[in-house]
Amino acid sequence: MTTLERQSTIGASDAPLRSIKGASKRPVWMEKPNPLVQLIKFVALSISVLLVIVPFWSVIATSLADQKTINDSGGGMILWPGGPSFAAYSAILSGGVVTRAVIISVAITVIGTLLSLATTAGLAYWLSRSGSFGSKPVVLIVLGAVLFSPGLIPSYLLVKQFNLLDSWWSLILPVLVNAFNVIVMRAFFQELPQELFESAAIDGASSLTVLVRIVLPLSKAVLAVIGLFYAVAYWNAFFNALLYIQSTDKWPMALVLRTFVVNQTTIGGDQVGGMAEVLPPQLPLQMAILVVALVPILILYPFLQRHFAKGVMIGAVKG
């Protein structure tokens, strides 16, 4: 037997052994987890959850604390209210600047989100259709808006030129369309099956009909996510209100939060509906304002959570 034949025979005899060894090796996800690694993951996750929950719980507990509990804690934040009291919430929601600010913020958020979604969807649909007149230059402008900001002074001068100072429209129109959201929605529209558009064109449907009756019903995920982005931005926007709103009776909730919580401005009876009786301590009042500012977004998120995981990945992976 020659050397070449012996090598081929040995290789042939070793092949079944290699295949058996390869077949016996299980994938990584089927292996039994290492207890030490599992313990480290559990501890790390528990610490992360506590870092999120404990400060939020402390805010809620402090907002429910009475004067005695605040005095016993030295005037600082607490983790458990001795005798829960809703006096702070009753005070800030009985009228005055806080109640008015909540109504204003809700109105601005709802109207602004609806207008922003309608404008963004229309612009993204136009830019997603190949052959649309002027779409390529507009895409370049939108990309430029993502990379470059106009600056504070030009924005202020533009708002002043259109007589929007001290108007609620100054909190909506300057931020009506977000360029990044347009790009994300455009990418989603481009991934829709082209056969739908061809069938609609054969049936004689107009572009508006296609957008309203075909595209938007298939785009619930991206609409939910981008709508949440717009709603959070409108609700939390205080800088534009600080620049453009001079009248205190037009303050949104974010500006009230900044004034009384961040800047530690004393809350008087005229700010809480003109109550003449003794107010709760300042710290519970401030924490109650903070809770009221957080609750609407916390209520909104669970309704959109099932669309969120899919929507945030739109456009991230191509192909």
Side-chain angles (χ1 to χ4, degrees):
M1 181 179 294
T2 62
T3 304
L4 182 60
E5 291 175 345
R6 287 197 300 269
Q7 292 177 351
S8 62
T9 304
I10 294 173
S13 62
D14 291 342
L17 294 176
R18 289 196 300 266
S19 63
I20 292 174
K21 291 179 180 180
S24 62
K25 186 178 181 180
R26 296 185 299 178
V28 177
W29 58 85
M30 295 180 63
E31 297 290 340
K32 186 177 180 180
N34 189 331
L36 180 60
V37 175
Q38 294 295 103
L39 178 62
I40 294 175
K41 290 181 179 179
F42 175 78
V43 172
L45 182 60
S46 301
I47 293 175
S48 301
V49 171
L50 288 176
L51 289 176
V52 174
I53 293 180
V54 170
F56 186 68
W57 170 251
S58 178
V59 169
I60 297 177
T62 306
S63 68
L64 296 174
D66 55 10
Q67 182 69 61
K68 180 179 181 301
T69 306
I70 294 296
N71 294 336
D72 293 342
S73 66
M77 304 287 290
I78 63 173
L79 289 177
W80 189 259
S85 172
F86 291 91
Y89 293 96
S90 176
I92 65 173
L93 296 178
S94 61
V97 64
V98 178
T99 306
R100 186 168 56 247
V102 171
I103 298 173
I104 292 172
S105 289
V106 170
I108 291 175
T109 301
V110 172
I111 296 173
T113 301
L114 293 177
L115 291 178
S116 294
L117 276 178
T119 308
T120 302
L123 180 58
Y125 175 71
W126 171 46
L127 298 178
S128 66
R129 297 296 90 209
S130 59
S132 299
F133 177 76
S135 60
K136 292 184 178 180
V138 175
V139 169
L140 295 177
I141 294 174
V142 172
L143 291 174
V146 175
L147 300 175
F148 304 102
S149 174
L152 178 61
I153 295 177
S155 300
Y156 182 85
L157 294 177
L158 184 64
V159 171
K160 183 179 180 181
Q161 183 68 28
F162 283 95
N163 296 321
L164 295 177
L165 291 179
D166 206 26
S167 169
W168 290 320
W169 288 109
S170 63
L171 307 180
I172 298 176
L173 296 181
V175 293
L176 185 64
V177 178
N178 183 280
F180 177 78
N181 292 338
V182 173
I183 294 174
V184 172
M185 193 173 290
R186 173 178 175 266
F188 183 87
F189 289 164
Q190 288 178 328
E191 294 177 358
L192 293 177
Q194 296 299 317
E195 292 79 5
L196 295 175
F197 302 101
E198 295 172 358
S199 300
I202 293 174
D203 294 338
S206 63
S207 297
L208 182 60
T209 302
V210 173
L211 175 62
V212 174
R213 303 190 63 179
I214 297 178
V215 175
L216 295 184
L218 296 175
S219 307
K220 293 180 180 179
V222 68
L223 290 175
V225 173
I226 292 181
L228 181 62
F229 288 164
Y230 276 126
V232 172
Y234 280 118
W235 182 265
N236 292 333
F238 78 92
F239 192 65
N240 284 350
L242 187 65
L243 288 177
Y244 307 137
I245 304 297
Q246 286 85 34
S247 303
T248 57
D249 58 344
K250 295 182 179 180
W251 279 5
M253 191 62 195
L255 194 54
V256 171
L257 182 67
R258 179 184 182 274
T259 302
F260 294 115
V261 179
V262 178
N263 292 346
Q264 299 289 317
T265 302
T266 302
I267 303 173
D270 53 339
Q271 277 91 27
V272 290
M275 297 176 61
E277 63 269 16
V278 178
L279 291 175
Q282 288 294 310
L283 187 58
L285 285 173
Q286 293 171 351
M287 295 302 103
I289 293 175
L290 182 56
V291 172
V292 171
L294 291 174
V295 163
I297 298 301
L298 293 178
I299 294 176
L300 180 64
Y301 179 78
F303 296 99
L304 305 178
Q305 192 267 342
R306 64 190 183 95
H307 299 294
F308 199 79
K310 179 181 177 181
V312 295
M313 295 300 294
I314 293 170
V317 180
K318 193 71 174 179

